[in-house]
Amino acid sequence: MQTTVLKLQTTDRARGIAATLEEEIVLGWLMPRERLVEEELAERLGVKRHVVREALAELERVGLVERVPNRGAFVRLLDPTEVRQIYSVREALETLAAEQIPMPAPDRLLSRLKEIQDAHSAAVASGDARAAFRANMIFHEALFAACGNPHLVELIQAMAQKVHGARSITAASAEHLALARDEHLGMIEAIRAGDRARLVALCRKHLGPSRDAYIAAAEARFARSKTIAR
Amino acid sequence: MQTTVLKLQTTDRARGIAATLEEEIVLGWLMPRERLVEEELAERLGVKRHVVREALAELERVGLVERVPNRGAFVRLLDPTEVRQIYSVREALETLAAEQIPMPAPDRLLSRLKEIQDAHSAAVASGDARAAFRANMIFHEALFAACGNPHLVELIQAMAQKVHGARSITAASAEHLALARDEHLGMIEAIRAGDRARLVALCRKHLGPSRDAYIAAAEARFARSKTIAR
DNA sequence: GTCGCCATGATTGTCAACAATTCTGTTGAA
DNA sequence: TTCAACAGAATTGTTGACAATCATGGCGAC
């Protein structure tokens, strides 16, 4: 066995950096409004500045980061209206996908989901928020990919990405993680039982907590920032 | 009156270049499989290479262009399956949006659509495919923006963009352009009459021609390329 | 004649220096 | 004290040179 030193190119490395920054945002390690200085990130993450630059451009396109010319990049702060709109689209998309998942589901899908969920449950049990986040993403991708339309899956993921900046509240909370775990188990069970209505309902319900937690927090913050002016 | 020489920065210029290239693809000026050489484009469009680079990265993200490391960028060739999947999602999204357009519609919306359609009709009459394409995009944006959810509109546009590479057949055909014009007029009329069902049906029907034309052409091409091998 | 190999050219990928812009803190006058 | 102007620092934006990589075509061996 030979350890191949694979040499990635800028675009790929930038993707990796973007993913890393995305995680740090979701986990609340990078907070909204926080400034993202190119050289700083470049040094910390061990890449050249132009790679960071490209990563930031990607995160801007995705909507996680805001960039103003000559001033730099910031973690974007979503306002409650926007969050509501995004979640409304997510609901429609995920319902659409869930309705196209073949029922009865192939064993292959069920065992795959169970396997992923084991990893997720383990991460939740050990309180490893990062691992939980990763497993969570993989679970949803595998679930919706079963609808058979990769382009629909892509949209679902894109919309999920958009609100990652709004998820630092729930992504680190043991309570919310446990709830997510239980709902995942419920989805698997619904698929196994061939109960489509229940699956769709669970998907919809699954979106609620993080949305509501963020909106509550954001509205409190907005109210505050109004009284303090700016 | 003073002509301000506004100085755009790379990101913005890249957006413009990307839009230009997109148009050239839609109008069939750049064909699928055609190679896009950075320096060549840079010179032709009057920008530095790194701007073209960023534009190509964006077009790759969108799905109009394919890039292989160290080999360059090509106009992406969509296979019929993919096109079908994308159009299926488009149908769902546009239906969803059309169902949320307020009825009766505000006069403001109607007059706006009429105004845009006048420009479109004029372009169709004069056979100006580029102007028709632009007016067409503006029409659809204005139409779906009326649903009130900008994020849904964004998705609709993203999916439309994806198949731009498949539209060179219809985008330049006088016949198809005339049909599109009539359908637009039908939509305006449906909105005016408050006939939501008709609007939704028209939107769905509106997607058909370019999809079917491309699939027919592509299947012929695939069949050919199979016999000729490669 | 065909296959494989190397030299060459065309193209993309990487980098670090430089330019331009914005931000911060200080000074001095009203 | 407050404000404006200004210098200096911090940061982003731009450029051209250089390195790495891949396609092409010629040449020789079989």
Side-chain angles (χ1 to χ4, degrees), chain B residues 2 102 122 131 168-169 174 180 224:
Chain B
Q2 182 191 347
S168 49
I169 302 158
R224 220 185 322 138

Side-chain angles (χ1 to χ4, degrees), chain A residues 11 13 22-23 25-26 32 42 50 77 85 87 105 118 126 131 140 155 174 193 204 206 214 225:
Chain A
T11 306
R13 271 181 288 165
E22 196 176 324
E23 270 190 12
I25 291 172
V26 174
H50 73 280
L77 180 65
Q85 290 172 335
Y87 272 95
D118 283 347
S126 69
H140 287 115
L155 291 191
R204 182 166 293 154
H206 195 55
Y214 180 78
S225 66

